Amino acid sequence: MTKLRKQRRRKRYGYNVNRKRLRNKIRKTPVISCPQVKQAWVVKASVKSNLKNMGLAYDANIIPSISSNKLIKTEHVKPNEKEPEKLQVISELEEDAHAPRERGLRLPKSHVQWVTYLMDKYGEDYEAMARDKKNYYQETWQQIRRKIKQFKGIPEQYNEYLASKEGSSKEDTES
């Protein structure tokens, strides 16, 4: 008895819900940041059918299978299952994923100043760097070596340091 009462209670009309706004919100196209998917998107189709046409998965737990020509010829594919129409989207996404990326890593200015100070004063003597009075965080020589190696791995900042070091050494020889 109580179950029937709960079901009946749940089916009441919600007067406080703006149906038109709700429908428009549901029908509104999603914000797509990927240019390949955005270009192939059909506004009038649903999200699920759009992704299916591109050969992409709507549900991550259900992976769509893209059959090769060999499988089509041997008729291993179900006849009612149609091939995705916009397969170029997948190839473009794969190319974009395999493209080399620029490293956007840069050390903070305070770290760069501290590391360059240590390199100017001690050269490659990491144990002396660990005993320096400006080693406020009491980092070990291995940690300092790792930070210097990271600094040398960022060409923009390291080349700038080398250029400033060469400029100061030229000024010293002219004096």
Side-chain angles (χ1 to χ4, degrees):
M1 283 289 276
T2 58
K3 188 174 182 182
L4 289 173
R5 201 178 307 142
K6 284 182 181 177
Q7 284 180 344
R8 215 174 284 129
R9 197 179 315 140
R10 217 178 303 152
K11 293 183 181 179
R12 286 188 185 147
Y13 184 78
Y15 290 97
N16 60 341
V17 177
N18 187 339
R19 302 273 175 223
K20 187 175 181 181
R21 190 182 301 144
L22 188 66
R23 185 187 68 236
N24 291 340
K25 188 177 179 182
I26 291 170
R27 291 181 67 194
K28 183 181 169 189
T29 55
V31 178
I32 303 167
S33 59
C34 179
Q36 294 90 353
V37 175
K38 193 172 192 174
Q39 183 183 4
W41 196 266
V42 178
V43 178
K44 292 187 178 182
S46 68
V47 175
K48 196 171 188 177
S49 62
N50 265 313
L51 293 175
K52 189 174 183 180
N53 287 339
M54 292 180 218
L56 301 172
Y58 175 73
D59 185 5
N61 297 323
I62 303 169
I63 303 169
S65 60
I66 300 170
S67 56
S68 65
N69 291 336
K70 198 178 215 181
L71 289 175
I72 292 171
K73 288 177 184 173
T74 56
E75 297 177 11
H76 286 285
V77 180
K78 297 173 189 173
N80 61 354
E81 221 178 272
K82 68 176 191 177
E83 189 75 15
E85 299 166 3
K86 301 173 183 175
L87 288 177
Q88 80 275 7
V89 174
I90 294 176
S91 59
E92 289 174 10
L93 288 172
E94 285 177 351
E95 287 174 19
D96 188 41
H98 294 300
R101 301 273 187 249
E102 278 188 35
R103 278 181 62 184
L105 179 71
R106 287 182 63 93
L107 287 176
K109 198 172 186 178
S110 59
H111 283 292
V112 172
Q113 288 173 345
W114 183 65
V115 167
T116 54
Y117 159 77
L118 292 175
M119 289 170 64
D120 289 340
K121 189 168 182 183
Y122 299 106
E124 296 290 317
D125 189 7
Y126 299 113
E127 290 178 1
M129 290 179 191
R131 290 189 302 267
D132 189 78
K133 64 181 178 183
K134 286 194 178 179
N135 186 6
Y136 302 126
Y137 297 112
Q138 298 181 356
E139 295 178 346
T140 63
W141 66 270
Q142 292 101 334
Q143 291 170 324
I144 294 172
R145 184 182 63 188
R146 197 176 310 120
K147 283 194 177 181
I148 291 174
K149 190 175 181 182
Q150 185 182 19
F151 171 66
K152 288 180 177 178
I154 303 170
E156 299 168 348
Q157 291 179 321
Y158 186 61
N159 291 339
E160 189 178 308
Y161 162 70
L162 290 176
S164 67
K165 195 172 179 183
E166 287 176 8
S168 64
S169 64
K170 286 181 184 177
E171 290 173 6
D172 292 339
T173 55
E174 291 176 0
S175 304

